[in-house]
Amino acid sequence: MYHMKRLLCMALMLMALTTGAKAAGFNAKEVVLEHIQDAHDWHVTDYVNADGDTVGLAIPLPIIVHSSTGWHVFCSSQFEHHADADGLRTGPYNLAIATEGEHAGKIVEEGQPVLDFSITKTVAVMFINVALLLCCILLSARWYKKRKASDAAPGGFVGLVEMLVMYVVDDIIKPGIGKGYEKYVPYLLTCFFFIFTCNVMGLIPFPPGSGNVTGNIAVTFFLALCTFVVVQFSGSKHYWKDIFWPDVPLLLKCPVPLMPVIEFVGIFTKPFALMIRLFANMMAGHAIAVAMPCIIFLVATMSAGVFYSMSAVSVVMAIFMMCLECLVCFIQAMVFTLLSSVFIGMARAVPEGHS
């Protein structure tokens, strides 16, 4: 229930910031949601130009769509920065980005969404994170290729990577799966380091960070789906027997298959819990961390005493939340890997006295 409490805390804070925004003229809710939501451009900051107009500084991203006029590839900078009266950021080929309504954030043609394969902010950040992770792992592997097993243990960055690998393998994967854990080590280590890297990079408030990758439910859904597939293909005959014909009184499984139905539903609730746990914790954590500094702007129009005191409180709380999120980044990667290992181990378990 911890992740649900974080979501509730995030919702209450957004409601409070929305109320304050009406009084201060600062849209804190928009700032927070902009950070945790996906987008077709990578917003960096806003600045005031020589004419006194507020202009958004954003990194354009590739747009790849299929509409009624065929395939189109162009840059997101061709869309208008501000929405018109209909809530649309108009662009070429009769396309637009909806900013409100049912299709908010999607590319639409005459009000209807089109087939979209664009490189969005989440996808771009994910590519950067994967490239960074590959560099870290390959550099460490290169160090080991030049050394012998009898050489001294590595230090520095390579030593840090080895420490994390040994911790995950010896304290998470091996106890969770048991005998025969070796063939699952590559997948589970990939999950751990990918989630950990995305979590840490999401704390950086500027490019190449600031992406809410693991706070995107599509990403956590895919990770949970991979674990679901691995678990099902690793299941022993005893695993499937306990699902469709468990060792319970006959009336609980025949003629009404009550327990088999419950056990079968349990197959899907485990990966669902993996998906929601990671998504809810990271999204709520990012939202709360961004919301704290917004207090400064909300109290900017109040008295000097209120402004300075609340600003100091918001800075202290923001630093505290960032430190807490650093810990959460590791914990969530560890928990996902731990639960995946346990689920795989449960599927492979064989009762004593059975071969």
Side-chain angles (χ1 to χ4, degrees):
M1 295 300 294
Y2 172 70
H3 53 283
M4 299 304 296
K5 293 178 181 178
R6 288 173 67 89
L7 279 178
L8 179 59
C9 181
M10 181 194 73
L12 292 175
M13 181 165 288
L14 285 177
M15 291 173 60
L17 292 177
T18 304
T19 304
K22 296 178 181 178
F26 171 71
N27 197 335
K29 179 181 178 181
E30 181 179 340
V31 173
V32 175
L33 292 180
E34 182 181 22
H35 174 76
I36 63 177
Q37 288 180 341
D38 201 2
H40 288 281
D41 50 19
W42 197 339
H43 183 266
V44 180
T45 187
D46 291 330
Y47 66 95
V48 180
N49 59 17
D51 299 329
D53 298 327
T54 301
V55 181
L57 177 62
I59 301 175
L61 297 172
I63 302 295
I64 308 171
V65 296
H66 183 271
S67 65
S68 61
T69 55
W71 287 96
H72 303 292
V73 180
F74 56 95
C75 194
S76 63
S77 59
Q78 297 189 39
F79 287 107
E80 295 291 336
H81 180 69
H82 297 287
D84 56 21
D86 297 327
L88 299 173
R89 292 172 52 195
T90 57
Y93 309 108
N94 198 29
L95 299 173
I97 298 180
T99 59
E100 56 187 35
E102 180 184 359
H103 305 300
K106 298 180 180 179
I107 298 179
V108 296
E109 181 184 30
E110 297 181 353
Q112 297 299 320
V114 297
L115 191 60
D116 190 358
F117 292 93
S118 303
I119 305 299
T120 61
K121 176 183 174 181
T122 299
V123 177
V125 173
M126 193 185 307
F127 285 159
I128 294 173
N129 294 345
V130 169
L132 178 62
L133 180 58
L134 284 175
C135 290
C136 294
I137 299 301
L138 292 178
L139 285 175
S140 301
R142 183 181 179 185
W143 186 94
Y144 281 100
K145 286 183 178 180
K146 299 179 179 179
R147 302 298 193 280
K148 297 180 180 179
S150 58
D151 292 344
F157 178 76
V158 178
L160 174 63
V161 173
E162 180 182 358
M163 180 191 70
L164 289 175
V165 170
M166 296 304 295
Y167 168 75
V168 174
V169 173
D170 293 340
D171 295 342
I172 297 178
I173 300 177
K174 187 176 180 180
I177 298 179
K179 185 179 179 181
Y181 72 94
E182 293 86 357
K183 62 181 179 181
Y184 299 100
V185 167
Y187 166 69
L188 294 171
L189 280 178
T190 301
C191 287
F192 174 83
F193 280 101
F194 173 75
I195 295 172
F196 182 59
T197 302
C198 290
N199 291 349
V200 172
M201 291 294 290
L203 297 180
I204 301 175
F206 49 82
S210 76
N212 189 27
V213 176
T214 47
N216 187 308
I217 198 167
V219 176
T220 60
F221 169 78
F222 179 77
L223 291 172
L225 179 63
C226 291
T227 295
F228 171 78
V229 173
V230 172
V231 169
Q232 305 317 313
F233 279 94
S234 302
S236 63
K237 61 180 181 180
H238 301 284
Y239 169 74
W240 293 108
K241 174 186 176 297
D242 289 340
I243 291 175
F244 294 106
W245 198 255
D247 293 330
V248 295
L250 184 62
L251 291 178
L252 292 177
K253 53 188 178 183
C254 183
V256 179
L258 178 61
M259 288 304 299
V261 169
I262 294 176
E263 293 290 341
F264 183 76
V265 172
I267 296 177
F268 303 96
T269 56
K270 293 183 180 70
F272 180 78
L274 282 177
M275 174 185 70
I276 295 298
R277 181 185 298 275
L278 180 59
F279 158 73
N281 279 287
M282 298 313 303
M283 185 188 69
H286 286 182
I288 295 173
V290 174
M292 290 299 179
C294 292
I295 298 176
I296 299 174
F297 302 95
L298 293 178
V299 300
T301 57
M302 299 182 181
S303 62
V306 175
F307 172 68
Y308 287 114
S309 60
M310 291 302 297
S311 297
V313 171
S314 65
V315 170
V316 172
M317 291 300 297
I319 295 174
F320 171 76
M321 282 302 303
M322 289 300 292
C323 294
L324 180 62
E325 283 302 303
C326 290
L327 179 62
V328 170
C329 289
F330 176 80
I331 290 176
Q332 290 305 315
M334 180 193 69
V335 168
F336 188 96
T337 309
L338 173 63
L339 292 179
S340 297
S341 301
V342 171
F343 295 157
I344 294 173
M346 292 171 60
R348 299 178 71 250
V350 177
E352 293 185 5
H354 294 75
S355 58

